[in-house]
Amino acid sequence: LNLLCRREHSSQEIAQKLARRKKLAHFDVTPLIQELLDVGWLCHARFAESFIRSRRARGQGPVKIIHELRHRGLKDDEFLLVLEQYDDWDSLAIDLLARKYASAPENPKQRAKMQRFLQSRGFNFSSIDKAITNLPKAADLPQYD
């Protein structure tokens, strides 16, 4: 319960953390986890909501978030409905790219660098393309002398 008071966890995370404790290393924690799920103290939907919200705040895209949720033991049906609530991934990609780069790429090398940046953050190609095309051209930016 002490672990669950701090933040939401997936059942796989709880099982791993309990297995690390010497007193519980020899016990099967599956019934305990099932009881926590039944009572509602452990909830994958709440975990998914909290996890997605925190990762979006860090500027991560849906591809990376989905990969991390699967890695933490959640099934697709446990988090896809929550993920679909956030439909403004394109605007998040645009904001991230605008903060990092002032203007649109002038050559293919710069464009590839921007694509790799957003791809490493977990955005899909349509969001990446929209973000790059929405950057202002260098000639359109105000010039300060």
Side-chain angles (χ1 to χ4, degrees):
L1 289 178
N2 190 20
L3 294 171
L4 291 174
C5 290
R6 296 175 190 185
R7 70 169 177 90
E8 296 291 338
H9 289 78
S10 69
S11 56
Q12 180 178 330
E13 287 178 326
I14 290 291
Q16 289 171 347
K17 287 183 178 184
L18 292 177
R20 283 187 228 136
R21 296 189 178 191
K22 291 180 182 179
K23 293 179 183 178
L24 299 173
H26 304 293
F27 294 104
D28 181 23
V29 294
T30 308
L32 172 64
I33 291 174
Q34 188 57 48
E35 184 179 338
L36 291 173
L37 285 167
D38 293 342
V39 173
W41 290 349
L42 187 64
C43 178
H44 287 159
R46 279 195 321 258
F47 171 73
E49 173 67 32
S50 172
F51 189 86
I52 292 168
R53 195 176 334 108
S54 75
R55 292 306 193 257
R56 273 183 55 84
R58 291 183 187 180
Q60 294 181 355
V63 175
K64 189 170 187 173
I65 292 172
I66 288 171
H67 176 74
E68 288 184 20
L69 285 169
R70 287 178 181 155
H71 181 73
R72 294 176 191 279
L74 269 68
K75 297 179 182 101
D76 288 355
D77 60 339
E78 295 173 325
F79 64 83
L80 284 179
L81 290 175
V82 177
L83 194 66
E84 288 174 2
Q85 294 174 359
Y86 298 98
D87 57 352
D88 58 341
W89 297 106
D90 295 344
S91 62
L92 181 62
I94 291 168
D95 291 343
L96 279 172
L97 201 61
R99 277 190 268 154
K100 185 154 177 84
Y101 298 100
S103 64
E106 296 175 4
N107 57 44
K109 189 175 179 180
Q110 285 180 332
R111 183 177 181 84
K113 187 176 182 180
M114 290 179 185
Q115 288 173 333
R116 283 191 308 273
F117 168 71
L118 288 176
Q119 190 175 7
S120 72
R121 290 293 187 109
F123 290 95
N124 58 31
F125 288 110
S126 70
S127 295
I128 292 170
D129 190 48
K130 287 179 186 175
I132 291 174
T133 56
N134 281 323
L135 280 176
K137 302 283 184 209
D140 297 338
L141 294 175
Q143 303 295 322
Y144 299 105
D145 293 327

